[in-house]
């Protein structure tokens, strides 16, 4: 039995990682903020330690006697009134917990990155872990902060901490409690609030497979290596058509040019600042959509044995969860 600490265990991916660990028979501790929504952990035999990644002194007790750290927590927002809040959580928080893990002698660390901080190919073909990336071309505070945090993780790996990096693509499935930007697409579709779409694409994967990929990374991953946890490359139109088949709703047929979406997002951002509210159309999200986020998970499949469950089934489970959770 391993003693595992999961940061971000109250979130979408982290909760699934915690459940997978419990199913395997490991002892699980969740490091949570005082304000965290505990709904996804209700009824689970998990030890809870409250603290803040930005406050190093709160990490000491959490990491005591821990064998494996799964650092899943991240500030995943495509808009923030103060973007430095995202950097403080994602970059400073990662540095703090990896420093504490090194001092406490943690045997293995799985750091959860994102494909959002990896490079994209110029011809639109699926990118890999080694596709060149230019930080200046990354859009928004979230992607840039995750890129910087990944450099922190690689630095600690070079200094002797056994860090493996998991780069999930776009997880879908039950438990998307926030919801994530992708979950919001599903919710908007179910609410009939998506009359049109833009020409973009994502790599989707079942959230359960992402969680399993974390455990496999801890067991089989090579220190200092990155592993894309992904599955199927789909255009947004294909995703919406899948949702249409699952729900019986009609998929939008109108494709709007990116400049129209950018104009709408810019106007929404300005008015949101005036209203002191979060924009309904984050500008960073529209800027990201100009490129298809297509990736290959061949390395993770080959080296880790990453499962590749049908994405359509994961979308169906997401739809069912959103409906049962009262978010629709």
């Amino acid at each position: 039995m391993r003693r595992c600490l999961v940061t971000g265990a109250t979130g979408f991916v982290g909760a699934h990682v915690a459940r997978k660990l419990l199913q395997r028979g490991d002892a699980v501790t969740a490091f949570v903020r005082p304000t965290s929504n505990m709904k996804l952990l209700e009824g689970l035999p998990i030890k809870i330690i409250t603290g803040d990644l930005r406050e190093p002194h709160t990490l000491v007790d959490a990491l005591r006697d821990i064998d494996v750290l799964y650092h899943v927590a991240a500030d995943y927002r495509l808009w923030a009134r103060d973007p430095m809040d995202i950097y403080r959580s994602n970059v400073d928080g990662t540095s703090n917990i990896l420093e504490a893990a090194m001092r406490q002698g943690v045997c293995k660390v799985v750091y959860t990155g994102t494909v959002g901080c990896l490079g994209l190919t110029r011809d639109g073909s699926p990118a890999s872990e080694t596709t060149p990336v230019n930080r200046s071309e990354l859009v928004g505070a979230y992607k840039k902060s995750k890129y910087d945090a990944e450099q922190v993780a690689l630095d600690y790996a070079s200094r002797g901490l056994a860090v493996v990096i998991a780069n999930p693509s776009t997880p879908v499935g039950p438990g998307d409690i926030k919801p994530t930007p992708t979950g919001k697409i599903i919710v908007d579709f179910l609410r009939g609030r998506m009359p049109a779409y833009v020409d973009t694409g994502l790599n989707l994967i079942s959230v359960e497979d992402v969680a399993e990929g974390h455990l496999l990374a801890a067991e089989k991953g090579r220190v200092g290596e990155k592993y894309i946890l992904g599955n199927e490359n789909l255009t947004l139109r294909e995703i919406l058509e899948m949702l249409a088949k699952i729900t019986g709703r009609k998929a939008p047929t109108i494709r709007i040019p990116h400049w129209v979406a950018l104009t709408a997002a810019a106007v929404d951002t300005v008015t949101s600042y005036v209203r002191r509210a979060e924009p309904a159309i984050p500008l960073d999200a529209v800027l990201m959509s100009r490129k298809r986020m297509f990736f290959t998970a061949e390395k993770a499949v080959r080296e880790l044995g990453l499962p590749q469950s049908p994405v359509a089934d994961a979308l169906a489970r997401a739809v069912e969860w959103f409906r049962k959770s009262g978010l629709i």
Side-chain angles (χ1 to χ4, degrees):
M1 182 180 70
R2 302 170 189 81
R3 295 161 297 185
C4 303
L5 177 68
V6 182
T7 69
T10 59
F12 184 31
V13 173
H16 280 278
V17 170
R19 288 177 179 274
K20 289 278 186 181
L21 292 169
L22 290 173
Q23 291 168 8
R24 193 174 67 179
D26 291 341
V28 179
T29 299
F31 184 74
V32 305
R33 293 172 298 168
T35 57
S36 293
N37 182 345
M38 304 296 291
K39 180 179 179 180
L40 296 179
L41 300 183
E42 287 177 356
L44 298 180
I46 290 178
K47 179 181 179 181
I48 303 295
I49 292 185
T50 303
D52 193 316
L53 291 168
R54 297 168 297 182
E55 300 174 2
H57 69 276
T58 67
L59 300 170
V60 178
D61 289 340
L63 284 164
R64 186 170 287 118
D65 300 323
I66 292 296
D67 300 313
V68 184
L69 164 64
Y70 294 88
H71 180 35
V72 187
D75 188 341
Y76 183 15
R77 288 182 289 167
L78 300 184
W79 178 89
R81 183 167 293 275
D82 180 6
M84 288 309 299
D85 281 345
I86 297 176
Y87 284 91
R88 282 188 283 268
S89 294
N90 293 346
V91 185
D92 297 346
T94 295
S95 180
N96 290 339
I97 198 163
L98 295 187
E99 178 64 26
M102 177 171 275
R103 292 186 178 184
Q104 293 282 0
V106 173
C107 299
K108 197 73 173 281
V109 176
V110 177
Y111 165 73
T112 307
T114 170
V115 294
C117 65
L118 300 179
L120 296 173
T121 61
R122 295 193 179 280
D123 63 1
S125 60
S128 72
E129 294 84 352
T130 59
T131 302
V133 58
N134 185 336
R135 184 187 184 279
S136 65
E137 295 178 357
L138 298 177
V139 175
Y142 173 69
K143 283 191 175 185
K144 284 184 166 64
S145 69
K146 290 298 285 183
Y147 175 88
D148 293 344
E150 188 170 279
Q151 305 315 302
V152 170
L154 290 170
D155 178 60
Y156 273 91
S158 70
R159 291 163 54 187
L161 185 63
V163 181
V164 178
I165 297 172
N167 293 110
S169 57
T170 307
V172 291
D176 193 353
I177 195 167
K178 249 185 171 179
T180 61
T182 309
K184 189 175 183 300
I185 290 175
I186 299 172
V187 170
D188 286 346
F189 178 86
L190 293 172
R191 289 175 173 169
R193 295 179 181 174
M194 188 167 288
Y197 65 93
V198 294
D199 181 14
T200 190
L202 298 167
N203 181 286
L204 267 57
I205 181 172
S206 157
V207 68
E208 295 93 342
D209 287 355
V210 169
E212 184 66 25
H214 279 70
L215 274 63
L216 291 167
E219 294 174 8
K220 303 178 181 180
R222 290 181 285 138
V223 173
E225 290 289 320
K226 306 176 190 180
Y227 295 92
I228 292 173
L229 307 183
N231 187 349
E232 191 171 354
N233 292 308
L234 297 164
T235 64
L236 179 55
R237 180 174 181 175
E238 289 171 334
I239 294 169
L240 295 173
E241 287 173 346
M242 279 187 175
L243 289 171
K245 290 181 181 179
I246 292 166
T247 64
R249 287 179 172 272
K250 187 177 180 180
T253 57
I254 300 172
R255 189 181 77 183
I256 60 174
H258 278 95
W259 71 265
V260 174
L262 283 169
T263 302
V267 172
D268 187 36
T269 298
V270 172
T271 57
S272 295
Y273 267 104
V274 174
R275 293 184 290 108
R276 302 186 66 83
E278 182 175 348
I281 312 171
L283 183 58
D284 283 353
V286 179
L287 289 171
M288 291 176 191
S289 72
R290 292 181 299 177
K291 295 183 179 180
R292 294 183 176 185
M293 300 284 290
F294 285 173
F295 294 89
T296 173
E298 190 274 335
K299 179 181 178 182
V301 172
R302 183 183 70 251
E303 294 191 17
L304 307 181
L306 177 70
Q308 301 281 268
S309 303
V311 166
D313 292 348
L315 285 170
R317 291 194 299 277
V319 168
E320 180 182 9
W321 188 86
F322 281 128
R323 284 175 168 165
K324 288 184 176 179
S325 298
L327 294 176
I328 308 303

